[in-house]
Structures are given as C-alpha cells and as structure tokens.
Amino acid sequence: SSRNDVMSKTRMPHYRFPRPSTGAVRAVIALLQPPGSCKAFTRSGSSYPPLGLCQLAATVQGRGNNLSPVIDADGEGWSDETTLKHILSMRPKAVGMSVTSGTKQLCERWGAMLKREAQPSPLRVVLGGPEASMDPRGVLTSCPSADAVVRGEAEVIFPELVDRLLEDMPLQGLRGVLERSQEGPELPELLRVPKGGFPSLPFPALNDLPVHRYWCPDAVRSPMVTFHSTRGCPFKCGFCASPELLGKKVRGWGVEDVLDELEWLVQEKGVKEVSFVDDVFTAIPRRTQALCEGMVQRELGLSWFCNARADQVNARLADAMAAAGCHQVYIGMESGDPEMLKFISKGAKLPTLERGAALLGAAGVKRSVGFVIGLPGETDETVSRSIELAKRVKPERIQFSRWTPLAGSPLVKAGYGRTEGGDAGFHDRLAEDQVSRWLARCYSECWGDGWGKTSV
C-alpha cells in the first residue's frame, strides 16, 4: 500500500559533497531566492531556506564543479547591488527562481534586471514553484523576462535540464517544461517524484546556506531549518491548492532516512530547531508516531513545530509529539461556522477539532490556530462564530488570514473569486474592504491572558 511505501525503511546512502568550488568556474544555472522573498508572505520578517531550490541543487551536486549554486540573498540579508554582483560574477547561463502567488512581481523584477545587466551575454530565466505549476501561462504573461516555466517537482528532470543549458540547447520537449515560444493550448505534465522514488532522492543541499540566520517567531531556539519529510495531502479543503500541486497521496522518505538526515543536521550543521513543512505532519498517524519515537530513541535533542489536523490527534500521539520535542502545532480550523466547514469540504466537525486541540494543550504543546476570513458566503454572523470558537479553544497563538483565491484550488476551479480586495495577500489588513474590517474585529476580540498571541 502507499502508506507502507511511505513507512519503508529501505535506505540508500545519503552522500555529502564538499562545498562547491568558487572562482572562475561558470555556473550553469544560479538558483536564486531574491532579497525580500520571505517578507512577501510573512508579517514578521521571518527567514527560511529556499527548500525547493536546495532540492534541485542536490540532484546534480555530485557531478563536480558548481553547476547549480543556491544563492539565498534574502537569508544572507544582501542588498540588491550585492546580490546582482554576486550572481553576475558566476556568469551563469540561466537563473532559476521559485514563484508563488505573492512573489510574481519580485521574480519578474529580478529576471528583467539580471537579463539587462548580463548583456551582451545571453541569460535564460527559468521559473518554477507553486504558481508556475498551477498557472504556467499566467506566469509567462506576468513575467515577460521568463523564457520557460517548469510544472511540478522539477527534481525529476533537473539533471537533464542542466545538461541542456550546458549545451545551449532549447528546453522544449523536456517533460514538465513550457517554453515561451511554445504554442497551442496543451500544457506540459505536472511532474511528481514517483511513489518509490524517495529512497534514492537526496535531501535538500544546505551546503552554503546561512543556516545561522534562519528564524521565525514560532521557533524557540536557533539555528532553525525547515524540513519536508512528506509531500501530498489527502484532504479536500476548498481554499487550498496543495493536493492539486503535490498530489492527494502522501509520499515521502522512510522514517529511518528522515531520522538519519535530522541527525546529520544536528551533528554537522548544529541545528537545534526544525519547522516541519509537510502539508499535514499527522497525515499518516502511525508514521508520525514512529518518527517521534525515533527522535526520542536517538536523543536528537531537537525542538520543533509542524502543521497538523486536529481531528487526527489522539492522546497517545499528542504525548509522543511532546516527548520528541514538539512545542507547537499549527492547526487549521478555518471557520467556526458548521455550514462554512461543509462548504469548503473541511471533512471535520467542530467538536472533533476542539477535542484534538485540547489534547495537544493537555500534552503541553502550544496550539497555533488558523482561520480563513472572507470565504465565499462569509457574513458578520459566520465571523462571529469563528470568534466564538477561538474563545472556546483559547490557542496560545492565533492567525486570521484573508481568503486568497489560489490557482488549482477547488473553489477557484468552481468559479469562485474575489468581489473586492484586489490582489491583497493572505496577511493584508490594509485593503479598504469588508474583509479587512472583519480581520481587524477578529484580532481585536481574540486575545487574553496567555492566549491569542498573533502568529506569523
């Protein structure tokens, strides 16, 4: 079964390579996280490693030279001028960036600037990430500097993409790639690492990244890194595009492989805190249980936090997570209105969600509870029910986010879109519309002694 495959303990060696060479060696494709990338989707100035770009780099890292260096200019705190100088000194044939709904303008600015400054040398711009995967033609329209986009999990074809760039060959015909010159309505396939492909897939390469600089307010120690142990989400929440992007089947590295990598991060990188960015860390509860027990057995000494479904939490799992170092869990409750939960296909009822949150609290794990405000059909009354739910749960942290129509999400596929608010992002409270007024009301009413601190 797929669950047994995810739990597989078949292990392949995880090779570690020396730091990439620097100097005269020309990069084939520089993988860039531009300055300001993390600020585009957080309110706190949090800084995270570009995990997707690091995953790509890992697939070619054993081939020598500096084929695909990852430049985290945002994490380094570099200025535009320093970033530009650093990339141009590598004389790359191409630059790759990951695009989200909130970073299209930023990626276009950098793509255009790098192409202009690289002249007379040609420079190709290749974009991937969630937005490029879900709306490739829209990204090519929004980002005129882009020569091509890659749909899905690009590590599947990245070594071949590097080979083509190295030989100055076109990317057209490569699986998952849409070049600007391509015509016709058909889109390339959405790439995914096959179910059995994870044992041989290297973990993201963090070699030259500023690990000591990564942080967010939810972390209690540093250095901190983000970590993807699984991909995919079996649930159907209407506002979320993740199942479309990463698939409905949960896939990932075996528990022992994950534990090996965590141990390497602790011993070699000095990591003390991990943010698990699996869509649902508890998607396969027995896997989560085994992973937590393994962390205790190996005495990793990590503190960590994750995303979970409250309706999947029982007392045994909550206790195991706490014992393994989990200090906070993000729980999406979305709405306190039962009809709204049905409308978005949450697949859980309020009493079950409240029970799971209570079990985590009883185990000593802080709860960061999220609500989505402004969904189709939202009213003053449904907002009041969300506020009432928050007051019953009394989470240590709380987050009210603006509903943002995401390409590929069930609601967008069903034709729902905003009637006001324009391009306001998840955390935008400044737009002069009803949703901003609801958000202001939610935050003003939902705080108390020891609960309701605003989350990231």
Side-chain angles (χ1 to χ4, degrees):
S1 73
S2 61
R3 294 195 173 193
N4 287 334
D5 291 334
V6 174
M7 286 289 291
S8 170
K9 295 186 179 181
T10 302
R11 296 163 62 187
M12 296 286 286
H14 290 264
Y15 296 109
R16 293 292 167 189
F17 304 99
R19 291 166 65 91
S21 58
T22 56
V25 176
R26 181 176 185 181
V28 177
I29 178 168
L31 301 173
L32 172 65
Q33 177 158 268
S37 296
C38 291
K39 293 180 180 63
F41 64 88
T42 68
R43 295 190 303 267
S44 58
S46 301
S47 180
Y48 304 102
L51 219 51
L53 300 181
C54 295
Q55 183 72 73
L56 298 182
T59 65
V60 296
Q61 201 176 38
R63 292 170 50 179
N65 293 331
N66 199 5
L67 295 177
S68 58
V70 178
I71 299 105
D72 184 5
D74 193 50
E76 296 281 7
W78 287 351
S79 66
D80 287 2
E81 182 181 4
T82 300
T83 304
L84 190 62
K85 182 178 179 181
H86 185 82
I87 294 173
L88 294 178
S89 72
M90 295 179 169
R91 301 178 296 122
K93 290 175 175 282
V95 170
M97 291 178 282
S98 180
V99 188
T100 67
S101 59
T103 61
K104 279 186 288 190
Q105 291 182 347
L106 181 66
C107 288
E108 167 55 23
R109 184 169 77 83
W110 273 95
M113 180 164 53
L114 285 164
K115 277 192 161 183
R116 183 176 64 249
E117 296 299 325
Q119 291 177 353
S121 299
L123 179 73
R124 286 196 260 187
V125 173
V126 183
L127 301 178
E131 195 70 10
S133 298
M134 293 293 94
D135 186 19
R137 294 198 188 280
V139 166
L140 287 174
T141 300
S142 301
C143 304
S145 68
D147 297 284
V149 296
V150 184
R151 299 191 71 210
E153 297 172 352
E155 56 266 42
V156 173
I157 53 97
F158 192 68
E160 186 178 350
L161 184 145
V162 168
D163 286 341
R164 291 198 183 195
L165 291 173
L166 193 59
E167 300 297 328
D168 297 317
M169 294 171 59
L171 301 181
Q172 188 168 344
L174 192 56
R175 290 171 54 205
V177 174
L178 178 67
E179 281 201 307
R180 183 172 292 282
S181 58
Q182 288 177 238
E183 297 180 355
E186 290 189 11
L187 293 177
E189 67 176 290
L190 190 65
L191 300 171
R192 290 205 179 107
V193 175
K195 190 170 59 178
F198 281 86
S200 59
L201 183 70
F203 283 92
L206 304 181
N207 294 33
D208 274 350
L209 296 191
V211 171
H212 64 287
R213 296 180 64 100
Y214 296 132
W215 77 283
C216 77
D218 291 324
V220 295
R221 293 196 296 166
S222 64
M224 178 204 83
V225 295
T226 50
F227 195 105
H228 233 150
S229 78
T230 62
R231 301 179 192 174
C233 178
F235 302 101
K236 304 175 183 179
C237 300
F239 56 85
C240 182
S242 189
E244 182 74 13
L245 178 66
L246 295 175
K248 297 178 177 65
K249 290 185 178 180
V250 179
R251 304 160 293 132
W253 288 276
V255 168
E256 292 299 318
D257 284 340
V258 172
L259 291 169
D260 285 348
E261 182 68 3
L262 291 174
E263 193 166 346
W264 182 86
L265 288 170
V266 170
Q267 293 177 354
E268 301 297 326
K269 288 291 183 182
V271 169
K272 292 183 172 62
E273 177 100 6
V274 170
S275 168
F276 285 101
V277 291
D278 305 40
D279 284 313
V280 186
F281 190 69
T282 54
I284 304 175
R286 65 189 180 89
R287 180 186 190 277
T288 309
Q289 185 83 29
L291 186 54
C292 290
E293 291 171 358
M295 284 192 240
V296 172
Q297 289 166 4
R298 295 201 187 197
E299 300 180 346
L300 296 182
L302 286 167
S303 52
W304 52 277
F305 54 105
C306 66
N307 307 310
R309 292 265 307 197
D311 54 320
Q312 292 184 313
V313 175
N314 57 36
R316 180 170 177 253
L317 184 58
D319 288 341
M321 291 169 70
C326 179
H327 61 86
Q328 181 174 287
V329 171
Y330 176 83
I331 301 167
M333 290 195 170
E334 326 313 354
S335 176
D337 182 74
E339 293 305 312
M340 186 67 82
L341 292 182
K342 288 182 185 176
F343 172 70
I344 64 172
S345 302
K346 178 66 179 176
K349 295 183 178 180
L350 290 174
T352 311
L353 295 174
E354 291 183 60
R355 179 178 177 275
L359 289 171
L360 286 167
V365 178
K366 293 181 179 179
R367 293 80 42 85
S368 176
V369 172
F371 293 87
V372 181
I373 303 299
L375 287 158
E378 191 86 88
T379 65
D380 289 339
E381 289 72 27
T382 58
V383 170
S384 293
R385 293 187 186 105
S386 292
I387 292 172
E388 290 163 6
L389 175 59
K391 289 180 175 178
R392 291 197 302 273
V393 174
K394 288 185 168 55
E396 288 75 15
R397 286 185 177 269
I398 200 161
Q399 177 176 292
F400 294 97
S401 300
R402 173 186 291 270
W403 173 57
T404 303
L406 297 176
S409 65
L411 285 177
V412 168
K413 283 184 170 184
Y416 289 98
R418 282 181 178 160
T419 56
E420 58 179 348
D423 294 327
F426 294 101
H427 304 303
D428 193 330
R429 295 187 238 166
L430 300 179
E432 296 182 1
D433 65 350
Q434 180 60 58
V435 178
S436 287
R437 290 188 284 275
W438 281 331
L439 289 170
R441 179 188 164 201
C442 289
Y443 277 114
S444 67
E445 293 188 29
C446 291
W447 63 276
D449 186 15
W451 75 277
K453 183 178 180 182
T454 302
S455 191
V456 218

